[in-house]
Amino acid sequence: MELEVLKLDVNNKLDRSQLEAYDFDIYVANAGIGEAGPLAEIPLENVRRVFETNVFSSLEMAQTVARKFVAKKKGKIIFVS
């Protein structure tokens, strides 16, 4: 059995595009960042970055992987939260 591990940044378009170049069977989605502090004092841009990373970019990668797995009729996606 051969195992290759790739670290990809969900917020990096070049990294996201690399998903198309590889043939793999398991995708582990474990990206996530947080923001803490009083709600009234957290800059909205920080909250946007949290949502971009934890929701939108992670979902975009998972959708890309899911389409790839559906096309080849095999594969596993694991979400770590």
Side-chain angles (χ1 to χ4, degrees):
M1 176 187 289
E2 184 179 322
L3 176 67
E4 182 178 359
V5 176
L6 301 172
K7 178 183 171 270
L8 303 172
D9 182 344
V10 297
N11 292 317
N12 182 308
K13 284 187 180 205
L14 179 61
D15 282 4
R16 289 194 308 258
S17 70
Q18 290 184 35
L19 287 174
E20 298 297 332
Y22 285 94
D23 182 27
F24 52 93
D25 298 315
I26 300 172
Y27 175 73
V28 179
N30 68 334
I33 60 173
E35 184 68 35
L39 182 63
E41 297 176 14
I42 299 173
L44 192 54
E45 184 55 36
N46 293 11
V47 176
R48 288 184 200 281
R49 190 178 69 246
V50 167
F51 271 80
E52 185 64 36
T53 300
N54 296 354
V55 179
F56 302 116
S57 293
S58 294
L59 179 59
E60 182 179 353
M61 285 186 83
Q63 287 178 334
T64 299
V65 170
R67 285 190 292 271
K68 190 172 188 126
F69 287 171
V70 166
K72 68 181 199 172
K73 298 185 181 189
K74 70 174 188 173
K76 300 279 185 211
I77 298 175
I78 301 168
F79 284 95
V80 178
S81 59

